[in-house]
Amino acid sequence: MPFLYSPSPPTPLPQGERGEFFIFPPLPPWERGGTGGEGDNLCKNGMLPSGGENDMNPNWVAWVFLLAAAVNNCIGSLLLKRSRLEAPDPGLTSLVFSPWFIGAVLVYGINVVLFAKALDKLPVSAAYPVFAGIGFGLLAIGGSWFFGERLGVTQWVGLGTILAGMIIMSRA
């Protein structure tokens, strides 16, 4: 095992998971994608072992990314709808060069990045239903608000059912 040069007795370098050596200590598990399993410094509940009141589950950041992605998805869809309402003709050229359409594509691009960051920590089987459910709810309300689309009792019951499914899926 190689040693650092120092006037004091030699100190072995810390060894990483793949056998590489560090001069600096390795990243904590929540920054290197640790799972909280054996060898990580996280307890089974995902909390840091100190047990202080400032400890929190590192997955909350992933849920924030997921919420931001769902809001971005809604904004992109509303911009896309606006691009079709403002189009002078139904042709492809008017669609591609519409500022509303270009804005929607940019927002969708940001959406993909945010959703990918959420998937760093969340299982896709829980993340996507929550993402889609939030998107459906926001789109129904946004479509009603901005475009005067119908939002009746049937739609509210459907949104409630989707919300119940989101809760069940995110707890599984």
Side-chain angles (χ1 to χ4, degrees), residues 2-113:
F3 295 97
L4 290 174
Y5 175 76
S6 68
S8 59
T11 307
L13 288 171
Q15 190 170 1
E17 295 168 1
R18 295 184 306 246
E20 71 271 12
F21 294 98
F22 307 102
I23 293 176
F24 300 105
L27 291 172
W30 60 90
E31 289 184 13
R32 64 181 158 98
T35 60
E38 193 171 320
D40 284 341
N41 290 330
L42 295 179
C43 296
K44 287 184 181 181
N45 63 0
M47 304 293 258
L48 295 175
S50 66
E53 62 183 64
N54 290 332
D55 289 346
M56 62 178 61
N57 189 332
N59 284 345
W60 74 270
V61 175
W63 288 108
V64 170
F65 278 127
L66 186 73
L67 177 63
V71 170
N72 261 359
N73 188 44
C74 175
I75 292 169
S77 297
L78 293 172
L79 288 172
L80 198 59
K81 173 73 173 180
R82 181 68 184 233
S83 76
R84 299 317 312 150
L85 293 176
E86 298 285 327
D89 61 55
L92 184 62
T93 306
S94 68
L95 170 69
V96 172
F97 293 113
S98 164
W100 298 104
F101 179 78
I102 294 169
V105 169
L106 292 174
V107 169
Y108 281 138
I110 294 168
N111 172 35
V112 169
V113 172

Side-chain angles (χ1 to χ4, degrees), residues 133 136-137 140 151-166:
F136 290 149
L151 187 58
V153 174
T154 307
Q155 285 83 6
W156 283 109
V157 169
L159 288 175
T161 305
I162 290 170
L163 178 63
M166 285 173 31

